[in-house]
Amino acid sequence: MTRLAGKVAVITGAGRGIGAAIASAFVREGAAVVLAELDIALARETAARIGSADKVLAVQTDVTQSASVQNAVSEAEAKFGPIDVLVNNAGINVFCDPLTMTDDDWRRCFAVDLDGVWNGCRAVLPGMVERGRGSIVNIASTHSFKIIPGCFPYPVAKHGVIGLTRALGIEYAGRQVRVNAIAPGYIETKLTHDWWNEQADPAKAKQATLDLQPMKRIGQPEEVAMTAVFLASDEAPFINASCITVDGGRSALYHD
Ligand code: NDP
């Protein structure tokens, strides 16, 4: 398993969920990986589980702070060398009614879900552009294309992630820096469990989610990770400014 052999990758929000699955898959494929995560205890625990200290490093990182992301990139470079791959995975759900949402809800959502992605890109792009190689993978969402009422402003920020992906992909295409996105549908992580648990009847809410799925199951983080490996690897050299949907067909379905 050497599809990412010799590559150095930074993955934000990699302590658990989709980010942890991506980190684990990258290590399996031969990459040296930095887990840039808010919760450093969680990141260290995940790092110890997925690989040895000579291949995996946990760095406390808040993606809302550009200096914090820059620090993670500097630590990654100091330990492993120049960054080949960045996965902007950290994200939060902020699901509100537009007119009762507070200013803080709006800012919190954009700070993580859009500014956080830009902060990551800005930290690695100068080096990638200078070296004339690099792959950035932004974790968007099917909320980047579709709207569910009551989920404002998360889809607004996630639409922005696609815009950012396309703009930067075009801007640096001539330097062989590829910027792509993955749009997961329902994937079973703490994020989805938290959402079900907030509903009046969690079991019913989970069943309602299942009933929406053409494949009659919810996706697993590893299924997103496999796509991230592909986009990060040299198997996708001409895929740029693009988005791959990983949702079991859900967003293609009109209705049952
Ligand atoms: P989780 O909540 O399970 O994991 C997200 C991770 O990001 C957590 O470890 C969290 O740390 C970390 N994080 C949050 N804020 C920051 C921050 N400011 N700086 C650094 N790290 C941070 O989420 P998922 O794995 O489910 O989601 C990962 C990505 O996938 C997100 O971008 C999400 O929007 C997207 N996505 C998820 C879907 C799903 O169904 N699960 C569907 C579509 C998209 P902490 O716990 O300390 O906050």
Side-chain angles (χ1 to χ4, degrees):
M1 305 271 252
T2 54
R3 294 159 74 201
L4 300 177
K7 293 195 190 294
V8 176
V10 174
I11 303 164
T12 68
R16 63 161 191 258
I18 293 171
I22 293 173
S24 178
F26 276 29
V27 171
R28 251 189 344 261
E29 294 294 347
V33 172
V34 172
L35 285 67
E37 160 70 51
L38 197 56
D39 182 342
I40 188 63
L42 180 69
R44 289 195 177 122
E45 212 178 287
T46 302
R49 180 169 51 79
I50 66 173
S52 53
D54 61 326
K55 293 294 282 238
V56 190
L57 176 69
V59 180
Q60 206 276 333
T61 309
D62 181 352
V63 297
T64 68
Q65 306 299 316
S66 56
S68 177
V69 184
Q70 187 57 63
N71 173 66
V73 167
S74 300
E75 286 206 32
E77 287 178 339
K79 184 164 168 93
F80 298 126
I83 312 297
D84 301 291
V85 181
L86 167 69
V87 182
N88 283 306
N89 164 78
I92 55 170
N93 277 354
V94 182
F95 290 168
C96 303
D97 167 81
L99 296 184
T100 56
M101 177 190 71
T102 64
D103 289 349
D104 182 57
D105 288 329
W106 173 271
R107 278 193 291 267
R108 187 161 70 81
C109 180
F110 277 80
V112 180
D113 292 339
L114 188 55
D115 296 358
V117 178
W118 167 234
N119 288 338
C121 293
R122 190 166 52 180
V124 299
L125 274 168
M128 288 182 173
V129 168
E130 191 190 327
R131 290 186 294 278
R133 67 186 157 85
S135 173
I136 296 176
V137 180
N138 296 326
I139 305 302
S141 170
T142 44
H143 288 254
S144 296
F145 312 106
K146 303 274 171 143
I147 302 295
I148 303 174
C151 292
F152 194 85
Y154 177 79
V156 186
K158 288 293 188 181
H159 274 62
V161 171
I162 299 296
L164 184 62
T165 300
R166 290 163 63 91
L168 295 178
I170 294 304
E171 203 71 49
Y172 301 109
R175 296 296 301 153
Q176 311 310 314
V177 176
R178 299 181 294 109
V179 186
N180 291 294
I182 297 174
Y186 286 94
I187 306 295
E188 193 165 6
T189 67
K190 182 172 182 298
L191 201 74
T192 31
H193 278 276
D194 284 351
W195 186 79
W196 290 324
N197 289 334
E198 282 161 20
Q199 308 310 306
D201 184 341
K204 200 171 156 198
K206 184 171 183 184
Q207 189 57 49
T209 305
L210 271 173
D211 290 343
L212 291 170
Q213 306 303 313
M215 297 185 79
K216 299 301 168 206
R217 68 178 180 84
I218 292 162
Q220 294 303 308
E222 293 70 25
E223 295 176 290
V224 180
M226 286 188 259
T227 309
V229 167
F230 170 65
L231 285 175
S233 77
D234 298 335
E235 295 162 18
F238 207 50
I239 300 182
N240 181 38
S242 195
C243 178
I244 299 180
T245 298
V246 180
D247 73 345
R250 168 61 213 162
S251 55
L253 177 68
Y254 188 27
H255 59 71
D256 286 327

